Amino acid sequence: MDSQILTLDSADWFSPGFDRRWIDAVEDGKVLHFPRLAFSLSAQEQALLRPELLRPGVRNISLDSTGDLKGVAGEPAVQAAAKTLIARFSAGAKGLVDSLFPAYAAHLRAAPTSLRPMQVASRRQSWRADDRRLHVDAFPSRPNRGERILRVFTNVNPHGEPRVWRVGEPFGSAAARFLPMARRYSPAEARLLRALRVTKSLRTEYDHLMLQLHDRMKADVRYQREAPQETFTFAPGASWVCFSDQTLHAVMSGQHMLEQTFHLPVDRQYNQQASPLAILTRLRGHALI
Ligand code: SIN
Ligand code: FE
């Protein structure tokens, strides 16, 4: 398998450079890896990076675009410092994607920004929620009708610990492998899930198939072990970008990461034909949304 990771030399969040080949790579499902694109923290900010920063029972800290901070334990000064740090990362992540992918800029919708202070390796989860298994991102309650999930990550571990990922085969080959096993889409079931408010809007056939890929892949222990894949180490001070609804990924270990998700309408991609929606539509042979 060709490497699915493209390593780039950029070191500035707001002027990382521009190259059409980088766009083609990310739209082809590859990970753009920036080993020199560090997100700098002051000494006080570094001191915040402890699991105790998390309010008990929550997995991540998040900050939304209205300035609402969730998940932080501690006094107002700690809350304010966490907020400043996360907001600064959010601005950097937006600067980065606006420069790398200028045609997306006006159409991106930012999800809340997250800080993840938990150690991944020791987390206990059901197989379906276990992101240590290769998967593509797909969310059961939030159908997106083919809208893209673009994510920016940065490893801010203060103790030199890398974040270790596995990156799998290209989306098209994984989809061709798992689609024949996918359960059939039922419009009646989709309407019921909507009525019961299990989903926030109608689950389309596209959303159904993406969830099937997510689940079948995670449930297949042999696939997890034997599928084409590479293990990749993101050092502290490195950042990376991918379409996580397309890149097969798994996180094996690491602690303290910042993450920003953007949603992008599929028709705002440079090459719409490279999208999971286009690939699944070709494989299925009919419209999915
Ligand atoms: C994910 O699977 O989307 C999480 C990635 C990570 O925590 O590094
Ligand atoms: Fe994921």
Side-chain angles (χ1 to χ4, degrees), residues 119-283:
Q119 174 56 250
V120 169
S122 55
R123 227 156 49 187
R124 291 204 162 277
Q125 272 150 349
S126 70
W127 65 266
R128 194 177 262 124
D130 188 355
D131 289 337
R132 291 173 300 186
R133 298 176 186 226
L134 284 167
H135 65 283
V136 287
D137 288 346
F139 304 110
S141 66
R142 280 172 285 144
N144 71 15
R145 312 174 64 89
E147 190 178 56
R148 306 306 313 279
I149 304 170
L150 179 66
R151 295 187 128 157
V152 179
F153 303 92
T154 192
N155 183 356
V156 287
N157 188 286
H159 315 295
E161 188 184 344
R163 199 162 192 96
V164 180
W165 272 29
R166 291 186 294 139
V167 176
E169 64 183 324
F171 182 87
S173 18
R177 185 190 308 255
F178 286 103
L179 229 45
M181 293 171 236
R183 202 159 55 74
R184 263 190 62 186
Y185 175 64
S186 157
E189 181 188 284
R191 283 193 295 273
L192 182 65
L193 292 172
R194 172 75 190 109
L196 295 172
R197 301 214 156 75
V198 174
T199 58
K200 294 198 168 72
S201 59
L202 194 74
R203 185 181 287 174
T204 65
E205 185 168 1
Y206 170 79
D207 294 291
H208 168 76
L209 291 176
M210 289 297 286
L211 285 168
Q212 285 285 305
L213 289 182
H214 173 276
D215 288 0
R216 305 248 159 204
M217 213 180 276
K218 277 190 174 174
D220 188 337
V221 175
R222 182 149 172 216
Y223 180 78
Q224 291 294 325
R225 201 174 50 230
E226 294 172 8
Q229 58 188 281
E230 58 195 303
T231 295
F232 203 83
T233 293
F234 298 105
S239 301
W240 60 107
V241 178
C242 70
F243 278 109
S244 65
D245 53 353
Q246 182 169 9
T247 306
L248 275 69
H249 62 283
V251 57
M252 306 317 291
S253 65
Q255 187 174 20
H256 302 302
M257 179 180 75
L258 284 154
E259 175 273 339
Q260 175 71 62
T261 297
F262 298 98
H263 300 287
L264 176 74
V266 65
D267 60 358
R268 298 298 179 175
Q269 283 191 220
Y270 288 79
N271 174 18
Q272 211 176 313
Q273 291 313 314
S275 66
L277 177 61
I279 292 170
L280 293 178
T281 303
R282 283 196 292 274
L283 286 170

